[in-house]
Amino acid sequence: MQTIYLAGPEVFLPNALEVLSKAKILCESFGYHALSPFDGEVTDKIKLAKANQIFQENLSLIQKSDIVIANCNPFRGACVDDGTAFEIGYAYAKGKSVFGYLNDNRSLPEIVKSKITTIPHVSGYAIDENGFLLNEDFGNSINLMLEFSIIDSGGRLVLGNLETVLKLLNTLK
């Protein structure tokens, strides 16, 4: 049975344990063993020591997994959760298959414009309030480094949810 690591911002939900427990049960119904960031062994250390322990445990869980499935929906803004982005990159670097899902496959500039204030710029691209151009306009829906980490790993970025990815995985067996 292959093992899946579930990456995503669900850990920040008030009912995170319940949500991730249901996700793990869903994975099991498709014939996969699933791990979540909560499956690491974290002691009662405080502050940075605890944060470092969570980091190390999550790395270990990814290393034990065959596949990483990442929730690539925007989180606290217009882009993928930064912890999830790191996990995608780390899994890619470790040679894991990475799959991602999102519920909006418009181009990244369109997604950004729907989430934050932008204004026109003489370049033809919109600009955000900090002066950065929204010019990553190649048709990708998430940062190109993430999208191509997923694709180059042998995975796919799909429109849908965890179940959509699990159904896809079963067709690829």
Side-chain angles (χ1 to χ4, degrees), residues 7 16 18 21-23 27 54 62 74-75 81-82 89 101 108-109 117 125-126 133 136 138 143 148 169 172:
E18 176 187 342
S21 178
K22 287 179 181 179
C27 290
I54 292 168
I62 292 169
F75 176 70
D81 166 56
D82 51 355
Y101 61 88
L108 188 55
T117 303
Y125 293 103
L133 294 169
E136 191 174 317
F138 306 111
N143 177 282
F148 286 96
L169 284 171
L172 299 174

Side-chain angles (χ1 to χ4, degrees), residues 26-118:
L26 180 63
C27 290
E28 287 176 19
S29 76
F30 280 86
Y32 298 95
H33 174 69
L35 299 171
S36 82
F38 290 133
D39 290 323
E41 293 186 33
V42 179
T43 62
D44 58 355
K45 293 182 179 183
I46 58 171
K47 299 287 182 178
L48 284 179
K50 185 172 187 170
N52 183 50
Q53 191 173 31
I54 292 168
F55 170 73
Q56 296 297 332
E57 289 294 319
N58 288 354
L59 295 182
S60 177
L61 292 169
I62 292 169
Q63 289 173 28
K64 292 176 188 174
S65 299
D66 303 297
I67 301 165
V68 169
I69 299 179
N71 176 346
C72 295
N73 287 298
F75 176 70
R76 294 185 179 152
C79 297
V80 174
D81 166 56
D82 51 355
T84 303
F86 172 82
E87 290 170 327
I88 290 169
Y90 184 76
Y92 173 77
K94 290 294 185 178
K96 307 294 180 178
S97 294
V98 184
F99 288 78
Y101 61 88
L102 67 168
N103 59 21
D104 187 347
N105 66 351
R106 291 178 293 161
S107 72
L108 188 55
E110 290 177 90
I111 293 170
V112 172
K113 286 179 192 177
S114 75
K115 301 282 185 180
I116 66 171
T117 303
T118 63

Side-chain angles (χ1 to χ4, degrees), residues 125-173:
Y125 293 103
I127 195 167
D128 69 18
E129 63 186 21
N130 295 312
F132 292 99
L133 294 169
L134 308 181
N135 62 344
E136 191 174 317
D137 194 8
F138 306 111
N140 48 307
S141 298
I142 60 175
N143 177 282
L144 67 90
M145 299 300 285
L146 298 176
E147 190 152 344
F148 286 96
S149 291
I150 291 169
I151 293 167
D152 195 50
S153 78
R156 297 200 190 136
L157 180 63
V158 300
L159 184 62
N161 55 26
L162 174 59
E163 186 172 1
T164 308
V165 175
L166 293 167
K167 287 177 180 177
L168 172 63
L169 284 171
N170 279 352
T171 66
L172 299 174
K173 284 185 176 179

